[in-house]
Amino acid sequence: MDWESLQSIVVHGNTQEFLNQVTESLQTGNKQFGVLQKGLREQCFQQVPINAARDFVCQALLRLISDENTEGKTPIAHLLLEAVPPDNGVPRTSDKAAAHLFSVCCCAERARLAVKVAQVFSVKLTDVEDQQQCRRCVHSLLQDKALLTPAVGLLLHFPQLSDGISVSEVLEGLVEEGQLGLAQRWAATLPLEVQIRLVTHCVACDRLKEAVKLVRHFHLQQVWRSFIIFRTDCYHPPKGLCNMVAGFEQPRCMQ
């Protein structure tokens, strides 16, 4: 890869030629993904003004995903996003371009790309032109088991999008789908009451290992004497679980 030539292409804004060279490099196997990513960041993007580099990546990605021939485009898109240099506190000029790129990606087919764009460019919901479309997209993603990860990724980045969503119900569904890690990651950003409700759901579904993992992850040991006592009238926990949580304080919200 001729990095000086690629720098010149970036400076002159020739996104098509840039994409051609990157695609060729990947297809011929001259560069492994990680090596090419590092080269793009250090030998190309970091050698031009930060805002110019970030704006250029936005425009290159818009051109890439607008191409009707989508074969092999997803790896290139993720490669460019991974290579985007941080803004290092420099006032950004790419906010609107990044928000537009996010809006274009905010659909089921590009949901994972949308999450990455939001994270890399620190997209704010206030910069997104059609916020309702974004909300509709998230609601739609939550209905598809295969797209739960990007759905939660968007909710983590844009907490405002959880309005109108039964958060506890979604969390419980994640656990039942074997997505404990994802549920745990999201619940960690939510109020204590939601975390407790998630644990009690695990107990009620006889998912005791998951319940104990959540208690430990959320550090509920010191605030919860026993997360099984409040339903002793209809739930008789196994002795092993009783021993494991013995000594926990019961949270005030459950008293």
Side-chain angles (χ1 to χ4, degrees):
M1 180 73 75
D2 184 344
W3 297 116
E4 288 189 6
S5 173
L6 211 59
Q7 287 176 35
S8 177
I9 289 172
V10 171
V11 169
H12 289 88
N14 191 339
T15 55
Q16 188 59 63
E17 180 59 26
F18 176 86
L19 291 171
N20 290 344
Q21 290 200 25
V22 171
T23 301
E24 182 181 357
S25 185
L26 278 177
Q27 290 177 342
T28 58
N30 292 334
K31 297 283 186 182
Q32 294 181 351
F33 189 96
V35 175
L36 186 55
Q37 172 196 320
K38 183 178 180 182
L40 283 171
R41 173 177 285 187
E42 297 179 358
Q43 303 299 323
C44 182
F45 294 145
Q46 289 184 348
Q47 304 306 314
V48 300
I50 290 176
N51 279 319
R54 293 167 70 90
D55 285 339
F56 181 84
V57 171
C58 284
Q59 297 308 316
L61 286 170
L62 282 170
R63 177 179 286 274
L64 184 71
I65 62 180
S66 65
D67 192 333
E68 292 183 0
N69 179 15
T70 59
E71 184 178 355
K73 299 297 174 61
T74 299
I76 297 174
H78 284 279
L79 169 67
L80 296 184
L81 287 168
E82 291 290 343
V84 172
D87 57 35
N88 294 327
V90 175
R92 298 193 300 264
T93 62
S94 58
D95 287 352
K96 292 296 183 182
H100 177 62
L101 173 61
F102 169 78
S103 295
V104 173
C105 293
C106 197
C107 59
E109 296 76 14
R110 304 188 187 108
R112 290 175 175 81
L113 196 59
V115 175
K116 195 69 178 176
V117 169
Q119 293 171 341
V120 168
F121 291 101
S122 302
V123 175
K124 299 176 182 177
L125 191 59
T126 52
D127 287 331
V128 177
E129 295 176 3
D130 191 345
Q131 297 180 22
Q132 290 306 313
Q133 182 257 341
C134 186
R135 292 179 187 277
R136 288 192 296 270
C137 176
V138 171
H139 280 258
S140 176
L141 297 178
L142 288 172
Q143 307 307 312
D144 188 335
K145 294 178 181 179
L147 296 174
L148 287 173
T149 297
V152 173
L154 289 173
L155 287 168
L156 283 168
H157 189 81
F158 302 113
Q160 311 95 309
L161 295 181
S162 63
D163 293 345
I165 293 175
S166 177
V167 174
S168 290
E169 186 177 321
V170 175
L171 287 170
E172 292 166 6
L174 288 172
V175 171
E176 291 166 12
E177 289 297 323
Q179 298 262 26
L180 178 68
L182 190 59
Q184 180 175 284
R185 184 172 154 223
W186 186 16
T189 68
L190 300 172
L192 176 64
E193 290 77 7
V194 177
Q195 298 172 0
I196 293 172
R197 195 173 297 121
L198 180 60
V199 175
T200 57
H201 173 75
C202 290
V203 173
C205 295
D206 202 29
R207 295 178 178 271
L208 305 185
K209 288 184 179 180
E210 288 89 341
V212 172
K213 285 181 180 179
L214 290 171
V215 168
R216 289 174 174 167
H217 182 77
F218 298 140
H219 305 292
L220 297 177
Q221 297 96 324
Q222 301 305 314
V223 296
W224 205 346
R225 179 174 56 84
S226 172
F227 57 82
I228 54 178
I229 286 179
F230 77 103
R231 281 192 177 176
T232 52
D233 59 327
C234 60
Y235 177 72
H236 302 284
K239 183 178 179 181
L241 182 62
C242 290
N243 291 338
M244 188 172 293
V245 299
F248 291 3
E249 288 184 25
Q250 187 176 4
R252 292 189 180 90
C253 63
M254 301 297 293
Q255 294 176 351

